Each structure stands twice: as C-alpha cells, then as structure tokens.
Amino acid sequence: MNSYPSLINLDTKKNTKKEINYDEQFWKRIRSAFNLSPDYVHFEAFLLSSHPEPVRKAIEQYRKNLDANPYIYLSQNEQRLELDARTSIADFIGATKDEIIITENATTGLSLVYNGLALNQGDEILTTRHEHHSNLRALENLAQRTGAILKIVDIYKDGENINPDEMVCRLASGFSHKTRLIALTWVHSCSGVCIPVSFLVKAVRKHFSTIDKNPLVCVDGTHGCGARQLDVIDMGCDIFVSGCHKWLHGPRGTGFIWANKKAMDALGVVIPSFAPGEVDVFRKVEYPRFVDAGEHLSPGGFHCFEHRWAIHAAIRFIQHIGIQVIQERIQSLALRLKLGLSKIEGVKVVTPIDVEYSAGIICFSIEGVTPEFVSKELCELKIICIVSPYQVQYCRFSTSIFNLVSDIDLAIEGVCYVANKSNKLTIGIKGDNKLINIGYSS
C-alpha cells in the first residue's frame, strides 16, 4: 500500500520548480489521479476535495480487510495504523507523533481544544471578526461555560490592502493582562486573506514576555495546510488545528490537532481515550502500557477506521509532489485568476493580489447582483463557484493541484459573461442602490 500508480510516479527532481509549475503535462497527470467529472470546471478544494487515487486505494484496502475479519484485523493492526497516521501528520508539519491528536474535522478539533481548557471567570479570550462560524461559536461556548470574556477585533479593513504592522496594532488593541487565549485563522475563507501568523505570534510573545501567564495561541490552519509550506514550530503557535479533507486531499471525515507541551498540559480530556494504556489504567493493571500526551487526549470510540488510516496515503501523495511545488502552483494559478478577474468591469476582487498574503481561495463580487445569482449562473455554465457563508458574502473560487491553466481561463470567461449579463439586467435600477437576485425570492 506504500507504492504509487504510474500516473503519479513523477520525478520532480529532473526539472526546476519553475519548470514544473508551468508544465501542464505534469499537472494533467496529477489531475488524472482524481475522479473528477470532466463536465465541470472544479474550484471547490476549500470545501471538500475529491480523493486522489492513492487515497481511494488505501481506503478500499482497509475497508476490504475490516469487512473480511473485523476483530482479527482491528486487533492486530489498529495500534500500528493509528501510529502511522499520527507519525505522517507529525512529519508533514514539523512535529512529533506524541503531539498529534487525530480528529474527524477542524470543527471537532477546535471544540475539543476549547472544551478542554479550564479558564476562570473574568479571563479574556481574543479572536478576530474574520473567523469561521465553527471557531466563533466554539469560543462563545467556552466563554459561556467558564465565565470568560470574548473580545473580537478586526485585524484588517479589507483584503486589498494588507499591512502586517497594522494587523499587529489592531490585534494588540485587544490585549490585556487577563488575556489567556488568542484564536486566529491562518487563511480566511471569508476573504482569502492569509495572515502572517509567525509575525503576529512574535508580537504576542514580545508583548506578554513580562507577564507570568503568557496566553495560548491557537491557529485554525485548515485552508493553509496542504496549500502552503508549514512548520508549526516556526509558526510559533501553541495549538494548530486542521482538517485533512480539503487542501491535503485526504480522507473525508479526518483532521488533527497539534499541541506543544505547554498546550498539552493545559488541555483536559473531553472524550475518553481508547489507547491501550488508558484501558490498562481503567482495569487497574499493575504495569499499564505507556500513553503519550497525544494518545491521552485522542477521542476514543469506534471511528471510520479505513479513512483515518488512509491519512498517510494523502500526505505521501502531497510529499511526493512536493509542498513547495504545490504552493507555487496554487499561487501562480490564483494570481492568474485574480489578475484576470480584476480586469473585468464591475468585478471586485477581495483577496490580496500579493501571494504573500493569499493562498488558494479567491473571493470576488460582481456589482449589482448577489453572490447567489453569480454562483447559480456559473454553475449553469458548469463552473463551480461557491458563496461564502458569512454576514458579508462573496463568490469564491479555489485553485488546487487538480486545476489546469485552461480551468482558470474558463473561469475568467465565465465571470466575464455573467458580469456582462448582470450589467444588462441591472440597467435602470442601479440608482436604487440595491442588489438584485435574479431567480430567487427576496
């Protein structure tokens, strides 16, 4: 199960990274690893990725083995395969296996973290207004449960003008001697902005360096993990949470938490672990087996094992291509798309053009019409475009390793068509300063 099919048996060392980035034959071979419908242009990697061939094969093999003899296969292989999954994640993000907790998704991971923290009444939690629903709601629950105070700040006005120093100042406006937790998101799905996490964390550490209780920094890294190079130690945070089924192209229903020793010591068990050593303690075995910190905090129960154990196949697939190669490809396609969209009359690109402050999500709007209308029109053209689920909504594309340059150009043509159509539909009502939603009830 460690071998790869010939279609992705690619030797990236034969070319420079720049040559690979522009080698469409190379990326067509990568695309062929996915069973994506050729009838559509796919821009939904930020939502849910199609499984590449190595992941599909790994899942099927584990499922076949479990179906053939559930007890024997599980009892003889569970611990080894769980360890393989945790180790592969750790290697990919620059950590150690005992710092990894496998979860079902990022939402579950964030909730496990926040429910495992013991804050006191009056303690302060700091986050930003750019967070996803799952992060904000989980933080609200933490505040309600503990009596802590949740403070929310804007760290940028809009995605078009990103200034790291301004971000620090805006974040620092929420600092106080009572701050115990700072929750950030690496790449914002509301705008496509990629914040300079390490830069912000350094500012946090400097500010709180003379205070006994230095706050924990938790990062939701879902839309950066697999799209950008990552080393959690260099990032500087205490906790990093991600799903595996988006940019990592991993099995659906999988994710992970990374936590350093400081964070591990601060986290309590939310769901009892099924680690053998934990069961030994329950059974009062005289010499219980060793349980590392990650195992201790990993939720027990019976999971979708064939998906969890296939995480390693997804990470090896990414590593085989090379994360730097992937990052440069995603950024170059995104840049082409952003520049193309920005030239269309009536289209506003919200995501930064600068690749330093963006990843693979591209948010935009068309003057005079709702994002729902744009999404519906583009989907009718067989171009996948998804609306962001926030108070201020935008249309969203994503560039991924299964996208080709021709996909980008079709998207630009599609948006141009919809913008021209929208302009004709809105003639005569622009003075009302309202958005129209053709085909939908108001």
Side-chain angles (χ1 to χ4, degrees):
M1 220 176 294
N2 293 332
S3 61
Y4 287 89
S6 59
L7 61 90
I8 59 161
N9 190 16
L10 307 168
D11 184 3
T12 58
K13 295 180 181 179
K14 290 184 178 179
N15 303 299
T16 66
K17 293 180 177 65
K18 185 174 181 180
E19 287 173 338
I20 293 171
N21 192 3
Y22 296 103
D23 182 357
E24 287 301 286
Q25 293 305 312
F26 176 95
W27 295 107
K28 284 180 180 178
R29 292 172 68 189
I30 296 298
R31 166 62 178 258
S32 68
F34 297 85
N35 279 342
L36 290 162
S37 169
D39 298 331
Y40 283 82
V41 184
H42 296 271
F43 293 111
E44 67 269 69
F46 61 81
L47 180 71
L48 188 67
S49 176
S50 170
H51 289 161
E53 184 176 345
V55 175
R56 294 196 306 273
K57 286 191 169 184
I59 290 172
E60 183 54 37
Q61 186 61 55
Y62 293 133
R63 179 178 294 130
K64 180 179 178 181
N65 292 338
L66 284 167
D67 286 341
N69 204 324
Y71 169 70
I72 294 298
Y73 192 74
L74 191 65
S75 62
Q76 292 182 354
N77 295 278
E78 180 182 10
Q79 296 309 308
R80 173 180 61 83
L81 294 173
E82 289 281 319
L83 180 61
D84 284 350
R86 294 173 67 215
T87 301
S88 64
I89 293 169
D91 290 345
F92 183 69
I93 67 172
T96 59
K97 66 173 180 58
D98 56 304
E99 299 170 326
I100 302 298
I101 301 163
I102 298 179
T103 66
E104 272 63 46
N105 47 63
T107 299
T108 300
L110 291 167
S111 291
L112 285 171
V113 168
Y114 300 149
N115 279 284
L117 288 174
L119 299 185
N120 298 316
Q121 187 166 354
D123 285 347
E124 292 182 359
I125 306 162
L126 179 61
T127 191
T128 81
R129 204 169 297 279
H130 318 284
E131 305 304 306
H132 189 268
H133 161 86
S134 59
N135 204 6
L136 280 175
R137 287 290 177 261
L139 289 169
E140 288 172 356
N141 292 340
L142 171 60
Q144 184 177 23
R145 175 175 61 83
T146 62
I149 298 167
L150 178 60
K151 297 171 70 174
I152 302 174
V153 297
D154 288 303
I155 57 172
Y156 54 84
K157 289 182 179 179
D158 58 68
E160 296 175 274
N161 301 291
I162 296 299
N163 184 316
D165 292 322
E166 182 183 353
M167 278 190 180
V168 169
C169 290
R170 286 170 170 266
L171 185 66
S173 68
F175 292 169
S176 87
H177 67 282
K178 294 182 179 180
T179 306
R180 297 292 177 265
L181 172 66
I182 298 176
L184 303 171
T185 292
W186 189 9
V187 180
H188 295 161
S189 61
C190 60
S191 63
V193 170
C194 177
I195 69 171
V197 175
S198 60
F199 184 77
L200 295 177
V201 173
K202 286 177 183 176
V204 170
R205 302 303 186 212
K206 181 178 180 180
H207 179 88
F208 290 96
S209 60
T210 58
I211 298 176
D212 290 338
K213 293 186 177 180
N214 205 307
L216 291 171
V217 178
C218 177
V219 173
D220 177 352
T222 299
H223 293 294
C225 188
R228 293 180 68 103
Q229 294 184 82
L230 168 64
D231 186 306
V232 289
I233 306 303
D234 289 344
M235 184 172 275
C237 59
D238 301 294
I239 303 167
F240 184 93
V241 181
S242 180
C244 296
H245 55 264
K246 298 179 186 288
W247 305 93
L248 278 174
H249 310 286
R252 288 181 276 275
T254 59
F256 68 89
I257 301 166
W258 167 81
N260 61 19
K261 187 179 186 306
K262 173 186 173 183
M264 285 287 191
D265 290 343
L267 293 174
V269 173
V270 177
I271 300 174
S273 172
F274 273 22
E278 297 282 356
V279 178
D280 288 347
V281 172
F282 171 74
R283 293 177 53 237
K284 301 187 184 302
V285 173
E286 185 176 0
Y287 299 106
R289 283 165 285 187
F290 173 74
V291 178
D292 66 43
E295 285 182 304
H296 177 63
L297 293 170
S298 291
F302 285 81
H303 307 283
C304 187
F305 294 114
E306 59 265 46
H307 280 230
R308 288 165 70 91
W309 299 340
I311 290 173
H312 76 90
I315 290 178
R316 287 172 187 169
F317 177 68
I318 293 293
Q319 291 173 325
H320 191 68
I321 301 169
I323 188 61
Q324 186 176 346
V325 169
I326 289 171
Q327 176 176 321
E328 292 178 3
R329 173 66 173 183
I330 288 173
Q331 288 179 334
S332 68
L333 291 178
L335 181 60
R336 184 185 185 94
L337 182 51
K338 287 182 286 189
L339 291 175
L341 293 176
S342 65
K343 294 177 182 178
I344 303 172
E345 184 177 357
V347 173
K348 179 182 180 181
V349 178
V350 176
T351 305
I353 297 295
D354 190 341
V355 297
E356 184 69 23
Y357 304 114
S358 59
I361 298 176
I362 300 93
C363 297
F364 69 97
S365 62
I366 298 180
E367 183 183 1
V369 291
T370 64
E372 288 86 356
F373 170 71
V374 177
S375 174
K376 178 176 178 291
E377 290 290 314
L378 287 171
C379 285
E380 288 181 356
L381 295 173
K382 306 295 186 182
I383 300 170
I384 301 296
C385 175
I386 302 174
V387 179
S388 59
Y390 293 87
Q391 290 182 1
V392 178
Q393 295 185 310
Y394 295 107
C395 308
R396 293 183 298 177
F397 287 136
S398 63
T399 55
S400 183
I401 58 174
F402 51 66
N403 287 121
L404 303 173
V405 170
S406 57
D407 294 337
I408 306 305
D409 295 341
L410 284 171
I412 295 168
E413 290 177 15
V415 173
C416 187
Y417 167 80
V418 175
N420 288 334
K421 180 177 180 179
S422 304
N423 184 53
K424 293 175 183 178
L425 290 170
T426 57
I427 290 175
I429 69 166
K430 287 186 177 180
D432 295 335
N433 195 30
K434 295 179 179 178
L435 295 179
I436 63 168
N437 194 345
I438 306 299
Y440 291 80
S441 59
S442 58

